[in-house]
Amino acid sequence: MAFSADELRVLRRALAVALHPAPLQDEDVQDALLLAESVDEAVREAGRLRAFLLDDLARYREALPGSLSGYLELLQDALAAGYDPAADDLAALRALRRNPAAAALLARCQILAERSVRARLARVSQATATPVAATSAPRARLLALPGGRAAADEPKPTPPAPAERPVPKPSEVFPPRRRPVPPPPPEERVAG
């Protein structure tokens, strides 16, 4: 994002006020609001451009191998803009790795994809990890372990016998199916 000379002047005044609070003139407030709107519009436009670029990249990927040069060029542009290659991109590049440019781009994309996965895993593990020092309580001293020599000298208690339960018959578990009753025969009509 590039700022004009006027926008840089407004930004410099806003930073000076942030560092050394002083009352602002109405003109300075209006300039700062206009700059904020311009920055917001630039961010929205960048989002629209990114969405268009990704849609275009998907169209070129679906048209492979006929769109090889266009796809490679768009993918390089997307990577330069911060795009993390998707599994579809890696699969397409693997299929095209006979082309030297595609092979070089595949190597780059594999490194970027691996970094992206590692970063996501690190964020997830940081989000789910709890600080050990904050949650751990002081431990009690362990004096004896169950099952040691002393346990071998003592008689082992016999486990209680399981309650005897009669085993159900198959006919109790699966009752016999009843046959459907046939409908009564239709009455014969007498012609009169």
Side-chain angles (χ1 to χ4, degrees):
M1 180 180 290
F3 291 105
S4 70
D6 289 334
E7 290 172 333
L8 283 175
R9 241 181 269 114
V10 171
L11 187 59
R12 190 177 300 126
R13 279 190 305 230
L15 289 174
V17 169
L19 292 174
H20 305 288
L24 287 174
Q25 296 177 5
D26 289 342
E27 183 181 319
D28 291 340
V29 172
Q30 290 300 323
D31 289 343
L33 290 175
L34 287 173
L35 178 62
E37 288 176 14
S38 297
V39 169
D40 289 343
E41 179 59 31
V43 168
R44 284 191 296 273
E45 183 61 29
R48 287 191 293 268
L49 181 62
R50 179 178 171 84
F52 174 77
L53 178 66
L54 294 180
D55 288 344
D56 210 19
L57 183 66
R59 280 192 294 275
Y60 273 79
R61 184 176 49 239
E62 289 171 6
L64 285 173
S67 63
L68 176 66
S69 62
Y71 173 70
L72 295 178
E73 191 175 314
L74 280 174
L75 184 57
Q76 287 175 348
D77 291 345
L79 293 175
Y83 172 67
D84 287 331
D88 292 339
D89 296 313
L90 294 172
L93 289 172
R94 282 187 193 107
L96 301 169
R97 69 177 128 202
R98 289 186 182 143
N99 181 309
L105 200 54
L106 174 62
R108 180 178 173 200
C109 286
Q110 285 174 330
I111 291 169
L112 291 174
E114 184 177 333
R115 284 183 192 160
S116 174
V117 168
R118 286 178 192 257
R120 278 184 277 161
L121 289 175
R123 283 193 303 267
V124 168
S125 66
Q126 287 175 354
T128 59
T130 55
V132 176
T135 58
S136 63
R139 292 185 181 207
R141 190 166 177 196
L142 187 59
L143 300 176
L145 293 173
R149 246 188 256 155
D153 297 337
E154 297 174 9
K156 294 183 181 179
T158 57
E164 291 293 324
R165 205 172 99 192
V167 177
K169 298 178 193 172
S171 62
E172 294 172 343
V173 176
F174 304 107
R177 289 181 33 184
R178 303 198 187 274
R179 293 189 178 149
V181 178
E187 297 178 4
E188 295 180 10
R189 292 190 185 186
V190 177

